Amino acid sequence: MTLKTNMTLSIDKKIAIDILRRMLLIRTTEETIAQKYPEGKMRCPTHLCTGQEAVAAVVGVVLRNDDFAISTHRAHGHYLGKGGDVNSMIAEIYGKVTGCSAGKGGSMHLIDKEVGFMGSTAIVGGTIPVGVGLGFSIQLHGGDQVSCVFLGDGAIEEGVFYESVNFAVLKKLPVLFICENNLYSVYSSLKVRQPEGRKIYKMVEGLGIKSDCGDGNNAIEVYEKLAPTIKEIRNGDGPRFFEFSTYRWREHCGPNFDNNIGYRTEAEYLEWKEKDPVKYMKSRLVDECILTNEEMHSMENDIQIKVNAAFDFAENSEFPSEEDLFTYVYAE
Ligand SMILES: Cc1ncc(C[n+]2csc(CCOP(=O)(O)OP(=O)(O)O)c2C)c(N)n1
Ligand SMILES: [Mg+2]
């Protein structure tokens, strides 16, 4: 692929392409899951992140392989963004022994220490103290890694969030808290959960942590905020909190759209769909002559082939044996 000049983007061209490639991988994987889910072969609940790809992709790019990330029930994008293997993830969702959690976890319980993806669980807020503990372990070992804790706006309403941030601030831990504010906790809007006008990142700042917010549908803005921050955290400057605004397109859990059931409107969804983070990044890269339309189509085609191959891999893999059921995924 040839890189063109004439660029006004503030970020390196290769990094911009890397971010887009990860976003496309996440989008294509999620949309293919949605398409195939009704076949009934994926027997676990799936919380898709279509519409939320930018933050996951950028975090994956700014983190190193030996940095840690820990996530939630909506983990697919975080896992793939961090460099997780799409074959292992799809096999996991199919419950196969070749899955990243050996077929025992399913969509909401992904773990892959090869890429520093230290787990995801369905208990809202449950992984936050684990991510802080990972940050503590980095500090105790004198390393320069970062522990990234992904959380949703709903997790801000769990007490453990406050205990965890307090401990991270107290010990000046290398923890990056990434809150993807998609406005909803299942069917409850922030409007019925928080006082009017409250900004999450401002409230969290009150705990003594440097906090900021940004447009989670604009991958370039997310990169500009996170790249310098990661360096500061590595240099021992303590934890950081970011709130990025975004929107999940599909239903809370499952492959369908649910704008007709009354908790949000079609108009709101369409407004956010206009701000499609993938479309935005694609058009920026074409407009800035970093990629031609042909190169873009070729990249998209390659990714769809890779994703289709992952589904074939999953379908052709074995279920865990009875013996496998009693062995640990990670023995140490
Ligand atoms: C402790 C706990 N309470 C409630 C639930 C039910 N629940 C599952 S996902 C979810 C919404 C979480 O919202 P948010 O953190 O904003 O993440 P999003 O689904 O928007 O990505 C809730 C309340 C749960 N799994 N765990
Ligand atoms: Mg939410």
Side-chain angles (χ1 to χ4, degrees):
M1 193 174 287
T2 48
L3 291 179
K4 306 283 162 31
T5 52
N6 180 25
M7 131 122 196
T8 53
L9 267 186
S10 54
I11 65 177
D12 180 87
K13 299 168 198 178
K14 282 192 186 150
I15 292 175
I17 294 172
D18 190 5
I19 291 171
L20 177 64
R21 187 175 284 116
R22 289 175 204 234
M23 289 175 74
L24 285 170
L25 178 63
I26 298 168
R27 171 68 59 90
T28 309
T29 305
E30 294 289 70
E31 291 300 272
T32 311
I33 292 172
Q35 188 196 324
K36 290 180 179 284
Y37 200 77
E39 291 173 5
K41 295 177 184 169
M42 293 174 253
R43 303 303 297 266
C44 55
T46 52
H47 299 76
L48 301 176
C49 69
T50 307
Q52 301 191 190
E53 298 84 356
V55 172
V58 173
V59 170
V61 165
V62 298
L63 292 182
R64 298 192 314 231
N65 193 63
D66 67 340
D67 288 329
F68 299 130
I70 196 145
S71 172
T72 69
H73 53 287
R74 202 174 303 286
H76 299 172
H78 305 152
Y79 175 67
L80 294 175
K82 184 73 173 69
D85 180 50
V86 65
N87 284 13
S88 303
M89 190 182 93
I90 300 299
E92 187 56 42
I93 298 172
Y94 274 73
K96 300 297 180 74
V97 72
T98 51
C100 59
S101 308
K104 299 175 191 177
S107 163
M108 293 187 286
H109 305 98
L110 307 176
I111 183 165
D112 192 341
K113 287 166 89 174
E114 293 289 308
V115 294
F117 196 82
M118 305 306 282
S120 59
T121 71
I123 306 301
V124 174
T127 47
I128 299 173
V130 181
V132 170
L134 288 164
F136 198 21
S137 78
I138 294 168
Q139 188 182 69
L140 290 173
H141 286 106
D144 73 340
Q145 297 128 283
V146 171
S147 174
C148 172
V149 178
F150 285 104
L151 59 145
D153 49 289
I156 300 295
E157 287 144 13
E158 295 293 341
V160 72
F161 169 74
Y162 298 88
E163 298 171 44
S164 303
V165 172
N166 181 60
F167 190 75
V169 171
L170 181 72
K171 298 282 181 185
K172 241 180 159 191
L173 300 181
V175 179
L176 173 66
F177 295 93
I178 297 283
C179 175
E180 288 169 289
N181 179 357
N182 61 10
L183 304 177
Y184 292 92
S185 171
V186 193
Y187 304 134
S188 301
S189 156
L190 267 169
K191 288 183 192 144
V192 300
R193 294 158 34 218
Q194 294 283 326
E196 197 180 341
R198 174 180 281 170
K199 298 263 179 250
I200 289 174
Y201 81 100
K202 277 285 167 199
M203 175 183 66
V204 176
E205 201 171 49
L207 295 167
I209 184 169
K210 289 183 190 165
S211 303
D212 198 359
C213 67
D215 178 357
N217 282 10
N218 180 340
I220 295 158
E221 181 178 322
V222 176
Y223 181 83
E224 283 167 347
K225 287 193 181 263
L226 293 187
T229 301
I230 290 283
K231 285 190 190 142
E232 289 166 7
I233 299 175
R234 279 196 210 295
N235 289 339
D237 205 35
R240 293 286 191 281
F241 178 90
F242 282 90
E243 173 191 357
F244 289 113
S245 54
T246 186
Y247 201 77
R248 76 170 146 74
W249 289 8
R250 292 181 181 273
E251 62 189 332
H252 167 69
C253 180
N256 303 309
F257 294 92
D258 68 353
N259 306 320
N260 57 331
I261 65 172
Y263 76 101
R264 64 185 201 181
T265 63
E266 182 76 6
E268 181 183 88
Y269 159 71
L270 291 174
E271 204 179 298
W272 280 92
K273 198 159 181 278
E274 268 302 297
K275 301 183 235 174
D276 179 351
V278 173
K279 195 168 101 190
Y280 174 77
M281 195 62 177
K282 276 167 63 175
S283 61
R284 278 298 296 270
L285 266 57
V286 171
D287 291 351
E288 314 256 0
C289 300
I290 295 170
L291 290 175
T292 64
N293 276 317
E294 292 71 44
E295 287 167 334
M296 186 72 70
H297 290 147
S298 155
M299 193 198 281
E300 288 177 301
N301 201 33
D302 289 349
I303 289 171
Q304 186 69 65
I305 289 169
K306 183 174 166 166
V307 170
N308 291 346
F311 280 84
D312 288 343
F313 172 78
E315 294 231 19
N316 293 324
S317 293
E318 300 293 329
F319 287 108
S321 65
E322 269 181 47
E323 197 183 311
D324 290 331
L325 288 174
F326 299 100
T327 57
Y328 292 107
V329 179
Y330 289 103
E332 79 272 27

